[in-house]
Amino acid sequence: MSFYSRSSLQKKKETNKTGEKTPPISEQIAKAHGFEHWKDVSQLHFTFNVDKDSTHFERSWIWKPKTGDITLISGNDTISYNSNSLDSLSLKADKGFINDKFWLLAPFQLV
């Protein structure tokens, strides 16, 4: 089993049988998950669920990556903010957003 750091995944390029450079594995993974279409995303809705023992927790997000507008929906609470202008309430919500979007877009985190 081999382990590679992010930088070694990005730098390693191989040559295929036709002599063309093969993109690093990190780029291949991101591309296989649609990274080239990310520029076309104007709004994204997703829900992060956690089941621990007999408890269930979820938070839903509406994210507009081009404007930085984010809405958190958790239980009866709704918080809307812009990631470019955080206050103490939105900063706490943004910590959850950063975690949840990391796991949602894990293949994109490689590039």
Side-chain angles (χ1 to χ4, degrees):
M1 177 182 255
S2 298
F3 293 94
Y4 296 96
S5 69
R6 179 178 174 208
S7 60
S8 67
L9 284 173
Q10 289 179 328
K11 292 177 185 174
K12 185 176 180 180
K13 290 196 176 193
E14 298 176 1
T15 305
N16 63 21
K17 293 177 184 177
T18 62
E20 299 170 353
K21 296 271 183 177
T22 301
I25 292 172
S26 57
E27 288 179 25
Q28 293 176 48
I29 293 169
K31 187 175 180 181
H33 287 84
F35 186 70
E36 68 274 9
H37 300 291
W38 180 248
K39 67 186 180 311
D40 302 324
V41 175
S42 59
Q43 187 166 301
L44 184 62
H45 297 238
F46 65 99
T47 300
F48 188 80
N49 291 283
V50 175
D51 290 311
K52 185 175 181 183
D53 298 323
S54 62
T55 59
H56 176 78
F57 170 76
E58 68 181 49
R59 53 187 171 222
S60 297
W61 301 97
I62 301 169
W63 176 30
K64 297 178 181 177
K66 292 180 181 181
T67 64
D69 293 325
I70 301 168
T71 300
L72 161 63
I73 304 160
S74 181
N76 294 328
D77 298 326
T78 300
I79 300 170
S80 294
Y81 64 97
N82 186 285
S83 60
N84 299 316
S85 175
L86 300 174
D87 59 23
S88 60
L89 181 62
S90 58
L91 182 62
K92 185 176 179 185
D94 199 53
K95 289 178 182 180
F97 174 73
I98 290 169
N99 177 75
D100 298 355
K101 82 166 176 78
F102 176 87
W103 292 109
L104 175 71
L105 301 173
F108 295 0
Q109 304 300 328
L110 299 171
V111 292

